[in-house]
Amino acid sequence: MPLYIKIALRYLASLRSKALSFMTVISFIGITVGVSALLITLAVMGGFQWGLKEKILETSPHIVIFKITGKFTEYEKLYIYFDDIPEIQAYQPFIFSQALASRDGNVKSVNVRGVDPEKDRKIMKVNTKLIAGNYEDLKKDGHVLIGKDVAVALDLWVGDSFKLMSPFGRKTPLGFLPKIKKVYVAGIVDFGMYEYDSTFVQMKLSEAQSLFDMKNAVTGIQLKLKDPYRADLVKKKLQEKISYPYIIRSWMDLNKSLFQALQLEKLAMFLVIALIVLVASFNVSSLLITKAREKRKDIAILKTVGADSSFILKVFLWQGMLIGITGTVVGTLLGGSVIYFADTYQLIKLNPEVYMIEYLPLKISLLDVSAVFVSSLVICFISSIIPAYFASKDVPAEVLRYE
């Protein structure tokens, strides 16, 4: 171990001045708390974003193709382009439209999704979300799946019937008459997201086409990818083959504003919480300035016996860096422990009606940990270099003259 580090450790461990020892402890605690708070904050923001992505990917297609003008009836002609792209795992046409569901005087707005039940197993996997009923019953005429909150709102259970009212109807001498269809509950689905559970109704594609007067047209085509995070790459490949009047949107495009807002909020929180480490670094600067004043005699003696200014600078610089390194390491371990236990045991519960997820996952990447670790060390280095520089400039003759 170099001599200047040994001297730095001895100065830090010195108990001659209780005030300086207390300042050392406060500086260490400040950096530890700042680093752990910064890691936990980034984990909260990253976990919330990860949780939303996972829920969105569970309940949404990875890529959707729409037609801008006219009815989308020639969708089967586009299938030839999908087979040439290995990233595409499955695809199917779908219908998506709003409707009203009613039973015994209770009325609720719902989103009706029309699909082929067999193909949908490979894409949305709604059959894995069933908490009651039988997915195979969806293949029967007049049978639908509903979200659990739809079931609560309309007081429904498996086998019960209710009415679906389409916004598309016909004009009569008595006015506009909406199309009404009586359906039966084949199963109840729990997505874990209130936004979906409170509006979800799924039926066969052919029945949805009939209910919404779409004949053989569809709303669009949805695609399932092997890796949803390669959606932008697949989208570009499809755009080279499919152009106007078709429009291609990935799940990232459909939720772009949400993820951009979360990313900006994460950056803002990083900068705000980083101020805790910055304030703690002021304690390090104050400690080193006070130490330098207390150790002027020692500095003069060291210079007299041959130590140069760079040696003295290293002594005081390493005092600050030792506090910074120790505090950063302990803060990283403390923050990592909190993140691990809070995420593993799902300690932070959320209201799914507000946040779309039932608990707050805490996720942090190695890049985030590295950024916090390096930022903390850089701040500690900058706060140490100035007091260390001035300590190294003391002139031995002037100091010893008065000793």
Side-chain angles (χ1 to χ4, degrees):
M1 182 185 296
L3 179 60
Y4 53 80
I5 296 181
K6 290 183 179 179
I7 297 174
L9 284 170
R10 184 172 181 178
Y11 282 174
L12 285 177
S14 175
L15 299 177
R16 184 184 303 175
S17 173
K18 292 184 178 180
L20 288 178
S21 299
F22 179 73
M23 288 177 64
T24 303
V25 173
I26 291 297
S27 301
F28 167 77
I29 292 175
I31 293 171
T32 300
V33 171
V35 170
S36 59
L38 192 50
L39 287 173
I40 293 170
T41 301
L42 291 178
V44 168
M45 299 303 300
F48 186 68
Q49 188 170 343
W50 177 86
L52 285 181
K53 284 182 178 179
E54 289 299 304
K55 287 295 183 181
I56 288 171
L57 290 173
E58 285 180 4
T59 54
S60 302
H62 300 158
I63 290 181
V64 180
I65 302 175
F66 301 105
K67 187 177 181 181
I68 301 175
T69 59
K71 291 186 176 182
F72 200 167
T73 56
E74 69 288 359
Y75 54 89
E76 292 184 352
K77 296 180 180 178
L78 303 181
Y79 291 174
I80 58 173
Y81 303 118
F82 305 152
D83 296 329
D84 296 334
I85 301 176
E87 289 88 354
I88 297 177
Q89 188 174 28
Y91 52 85
Q92 70 166 343
F94 72 97
I95 286 178
F96 184 86
S97 184
Q98 291 183 323
L100 288 177
S102 64
R103 181 176 188 258
D104 297 336
N106 296 322
V107 180
K108 183 167 183 58
S109 175
V110 295
N111 295 324
V112 177
R113 181 171 176 264
V115 294
D116 182 326
E118 200 58 41
K119 290 182 178 179
D120 200 54
R121 288 177 181 272
K122 300 178 181 179
I123 298 181
M124 300 301 294
K125 298 182 179 179
V126 177
N127 56 299
T128 63
K129 305 293 181 182
L130 247 62
I131 58 174
N134 187 350
Y135 186 79
E136 295 299 323
D137 290 342
L138 183 61
K139 299 176 182 179
K140 299 178 182 179
D141 292 339
H143 283 67
V144 300
L145 300 179
I146 61 173
K148 66 174 184 178
D149 290 301
V150 175
V152 171
L154 299 180
D155 191 21
L156 292 169
W157 191 245
V158 177
D160 292 343
S161 66
F162 66 98
K163 294 179 180 178
L164 278 178
M165 185 183 302
S166 168
F168 305 98
R170 65 184 187 277
K171 291 181 180 180
T172 69
L174 299 178
F176 177 81
L177 290 180
K179 181 175 285 189
I180 299 175
K181 181 178 179 63
K182 184 178 181 180
V183 294
Y184 296 87
V185 178
I188 298 175
V189 182
D190 180 9
F191 289 105
M193 292 179 67
Y194 179 76
E195 183 179 347
Y196 287 89
D197 291 332
S198 62
T199 59
F200 181 81
V201 174
Q202 178 170 305
M203 59 171 42
K204 289 194 299 183
L205 180 65
S206 58
E207 292 189 344
Q209 288 173 324
S210 174
L211 177 63
F212 298 114
D213 283 335
M214 298 184 69
K215 296 182 180 178
N216 61 337
V218 297
T219 303
I221 305 174
Q222 55 188 11
L223 286 72
K224 177 84 170 182
L225 306 182
K226 295 177 182 177
D227 182 1
Y229 293 96
R230 292 174 63 87
D232 284 339
L233 176 63
V234 177
K235 174 186 168 183
K236 290 179 181 178
K237 290 182 178 179
L238 288 172
Q239 286 176 332
E240 294 174 357
K241 303 175 181 180
I242 303 173
S243 57
Y244 185 86
Y246 306 103
I247 184 170
I248 303 170
R249 291 287 180 266
S250 69
W251 66 274
M252 297 176 187
D253 296 328
L254 298 174
N255 301 278
K256 190 174 184 179
S257 58
L258 172 63
F259 293 136
Q260 284 182 339
L262 290 174
Q263 197 64 33
L264 180 61
E265 188 175 356
K266 183 178 179 180
L267 176 61
M269 292 301 295
F270 175 87
L271 296 176
V272 170
I273 305 299
L275 292 176
I276 297 178
V277 181
L278 184 61
V279 171
S281 72
F282 294 157
N283 292 331
V284 176
S285 296
S286 301
L287 172 66
L288 293 183
I289 291 171
T290 309
K291 284 272 188 183
R293 298 300 301 172
E294 183 191 48
K295 302 295 183 182
R296 291 187 69 197
K297 181 179 177 180
D298 293 359
I299 294 171
I301 293 174
L302 286 170
K303 284 194 171 184
T304 301
V305 297
D308 56 10
S309 296
S310 65
F311 183 89
I312 304 301
L313 184 143
K314 291 176 183 178
V315 169
F316 285 90
L317 179 61
W318 269 98
Q319 287 185 67
M321 288 305 298
L322 286 171
I323 295 174
I325 292 170
T326 308
T328 301
V329 170
V330 174
T332 301
L333 294 175
L334 178 62
S337 300
V338 172
I339 292 168
Y340 173 78
F341 284 106
D343 184 58
T344 302
Y345 298 103
Q346 301 181 7
L347 299 181
I348 306 176
K349 304 296 182 181
L350 298 177
N351 184 355
E353 296 183 14
V354 178
Y355 297 103
M356 299 172 66
I357 51 180
E358 296 176 341
Y359 79 98
L360 180 62
L362 272 67
K363 304 291 181 183
I364 191 165
S365 66
L366 182 60
L367 180 62
D368 287 339
V369 174
S370 302
V372 172
F373 199 92
V374 171
S375 299
S376 176
L377 293 183
V378 168
I379 290 173
C380 291
F381 176 80
I382 293 173
S383 65
S384 303
I385 191 70
I386 297 176
Y389 173 78
F390 285 111
S392 68
K393 293 303 178 182
D394 280 343
V395 179
E398 294 182 1
V399 175
L400 296 175
R401 181 186 303 171
Y402 301 102
E403 296 293 338

